[in-house]
């Protein structure tokens, strides 16, 4: 028995996302875990962003935010389409 009950067959994009070593584990836990796990996932992502800023300096702070620009643009387009 596993800790998280998974559905029988996941869509391809979820299988691809869940296969990424660190982020996939966080995404699977946030998608299928308890409701409070979403807060832990957000805290882990913010902590990783902070660690990259400490490790790499300003590029570690700016580049993850810059990488999220296309993602937010896609979200805005999807929202506008209804």
């Amino acid at each position: 028995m596993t800790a998280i009950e998974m559905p029988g067959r996941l869509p391809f994009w979820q299988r691809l996302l869940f296969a990424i070593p660190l982020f996939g584990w966080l995404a699977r836990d946030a998608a299928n875990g308890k409701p409070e796990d979403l807060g832990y996932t957000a805290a882990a992502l913010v902590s990783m962003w902070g660690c990259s800023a400490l490790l790499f300096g300003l590029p570690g702070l700016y580049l993850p935010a810059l990488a999220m620009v296309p993602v937010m643009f896609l979200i805005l387009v999807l929202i506008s389409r209804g």
Side-chain angles (χ1 to χ4, degrees):
M1 179 166 190
T2 61
I4 298 173
E5 292 298 323
M6 299 288 290
R9 183 74 170 156
L10 294 174
F12 177 72
W13 67 272
Q14 281 185 341
R15 285 184 285 146
L16 190 65
L17 177 67
F18 293 164
I20 299 171
L22 181 63
F23 296 109
W25 176 74
L26 289 172
R28 187 179 328 118
D29 197 29
N32 299 321
K34 294 178 265 183
E36 62 266 9
D37 289 344
L38 187 59
Y40 295 131
T41 302
L45 291 174
V46 169
S47 296
M48 285 191 287
W49 190 10
C51 287
S52 74
L54 289 174
L55 190 64
F56 299 113
L58 284 178
L61 182 67
Y62 294 155
L63 288 178
L66 189 63
M68 287 302 293
V69 170
V71 174
M72 289 308 298
F73 184 71
L74 179 66
I75 289 172
L76 289 172
V77 167
L78 291 175
I79 288 172
S80 68
R81 294 192 71 194

